[in-house]
Amino acid sequence: MPATTADTLSLVTRTVTVAPLVLLSVADHYGRTAKGTRKRVVGVLLGENTGQNVRVSNSFAVPFEEDEKDPSVWFLDHNFVESMRDMFKKINAREKLVGWYHSGPKLRASDLQINELFKKYTPNPLLVIVDVQPKEVGVPTDAYFAVDEIKDVSWSTWIGFERTGGWLINAEEAEEIGVEHLLRDIRDVAVGTLSTRITSQLQSLQGLHLRLRDIGQYLQKVLDHELPINHAILGNLQDVFNLLPNLSTPPTTPRISGQETQIENSELARAMSVKTNDQLMAIYISSLIRAITAFHDLIENKIQNRQQQEESDSKREQELNASKGDEAKKTNGSTNGDQKEEQDSSDKSKKKS
C-alpha cells in the first residue's frame, strides 16, 4: 500500500546510528571477497529500531552474486540469512534484523528488488551504502529507506529510496577502545604524531568545505526558486549560525578631540588566536620532546646492539682460541706417543740383539 506523506516524513526523519565495528566488518568483507574487482558485497544489519531511532550494532556477510551485464539477474541466499538470524537471536535477543548493506558506491537498479526480499524480515528495512574506496573527503556512507508514495492526484505511485535526515557514527566506550587499538596497530609507524594530527585536521577542513559548499548551493537554488523553501532546514542552519562565535564584532567609535576614529573591537578574536597558538605550541613542543626521546632510545638501542655484537665476537674468538689450543695439545700428545712407541721398539730390538 502506498505510504502517505506523514509516513514518508517519519521514515526520512529517523536518526540512524551505526557502530564503527559495522563499518570495519563491511570493509573486511569487501577485502576478503571482492577486492580488486568491480563486484559489490551484500550483508545484513543487526540492531534495534525504536521507531524514531535506528541503532545498528552488528552485521554479517551474505553470499551474493549478480550479473554485471544484466542488473536484474542476481542471487541472494535467503536461507543463509534466516539461519544466521536465528543464531544471532540465540546470542543476543535484542539485536534484530533492521536492514542490509552493500558496498555501492551508489544505488543500483536491483536495490529495490533486494529490499523487497528483506521486507520478509522487517517492515521497513534500512539500506546503508558503504563506499569502501572513497574518492572524496568525508564519511563514505549513506542511509536510505524505501518509499512507496503517491505523487499526484492521478494516483500514480512512485517507488524509490529516500535518504535519511540524521546519520551518526557512534560507539560505546568499549568499542572506542577497541577501534583505537586497531588503528594504533595498522597505522604507519614512520609517520609522526604531529603529521598525523595535521593530516586529520586537513581532511576535516576539506570535509567541512564540501558541506558548506553543498549548503551554499542549496540556498542559491532556493533563491533562484529552483527548490521550495524548507523551514526545517532553514531552522537548523539558523541554529548552526547562532552557535558560531561572533569574531567580527562591530568597531567602536571613540571621539578624540572632536574627531571620531573607528577602532576594531577584536578582543575575542585576539583571545581565541592566543589560545589556539598556545595549544599549537604545546603540541609542537610535545612532538619535539617525543622525537628527541625516540632518537635517544634509538641511539641507546644501537649502542647496546654494538656492545652485544662485540661481546659475542670476543666470545667466539675465545672459543676459537680454546679449540685451537685443544687441537695443538692433542697433536703434541699424539706425536709424543709415537716417539715413545718408537723408543720402546728400539729398546726391545737392542735387548734381543
Side-chain angles (χ1 to χ4, degrees), residues 137-288:
V137 178
V139 181
T141 52
D142 284 315
Y144 299 90
F145 282 105
V147 176
D148 184 4
E149 187 180 3
I150 299 174
K151 278 298 181 181
D152 50 19
V153 294
S154 62
W155 294 94
S156 61
T157 59
W158 175 83
I159 303 175
F161 286 101
E162 286 286 346
R163 184 178 296 176
T164 58
W167 169 256
L168 297 173
I169 297 177
N170 192 9
E172 298 179 355
E173 185 177 359
E175 292 176 334
E176 289 181 356
I177 295 172
V179 172
E180 286 179 0
H181 280 284
L182 178 62
L183 295 177
R184 189 180 302 170
D185 293 336
I186 64 176
R187 71 177 182 179
D188 190 359
V189 183
V191 180
T193 307
L194 181 60
S195 61
T196 305
R197 192 186 294 262
I198 292 174
T199 303
S200 62
Q201 290 182 355
L202 178 61
Q203 292 177 353
S204 301
L205 291 175
Q206 290 176 350
L208 178 61
H209 178 262
L210 292 176
R211 299 296 182 271
L212 292 176
R213 186 182 64 183
D214 294 338
I215 292 173
Q217 292 177 355
Y218 169 75
L219 294 177
Q220 186 62 41
K221 289 182 179 180
V222 171
L223 288 176
D224 297 339
H225 302 287
E226 297 180 4
L227 291 176
I229 297 175
N230 191 327
H231 296 284
I233 296 176
L234 295 180
N236 290 330
L237 291 177
Q238 187 64 44
D239 293 336
V240 170
F241 293 142
N242 290 335
L243 292 174
L244 295 176
N246 188 11
L247 297 179
S248 58
T249 55
T252 58
T253 56
R255 292 187 177 182
I256 299 175
S257 65
Q259 297 180 356
E260 293 184 356
T261 58
Q262 290 187 354
I263 301 175
E264 186 178 358
N265 188 9
S266 59
E267 294 182 359
L268 180 60
R270 188 180 299 107
M272 290 195 66
S273 62
V274 169
K275 185 177 180 180
T276 304
N277 292 333
D278 292 341
Q279 292 177 350
L280 294 177
M281 179 60 69
I283 294 172
Y284 180 68
I285 293 174
S286 61
S287 299
L288 285 178

Side-chain angles (χ1 to χ4, degrees), residues 336-352:
N336 292 330
D338 294 339
Q339 290 177 358
K340 286 181 180 181
E341 288 178 357
E342 290 178 357
Q343 188 176 359
D344 292 338
S345 61
S346 61
D347 292 341
K348 288 179 180 180
S349 62
K350 287 179 181 179
K351 288 179 181 179
K352 287 180 180 181

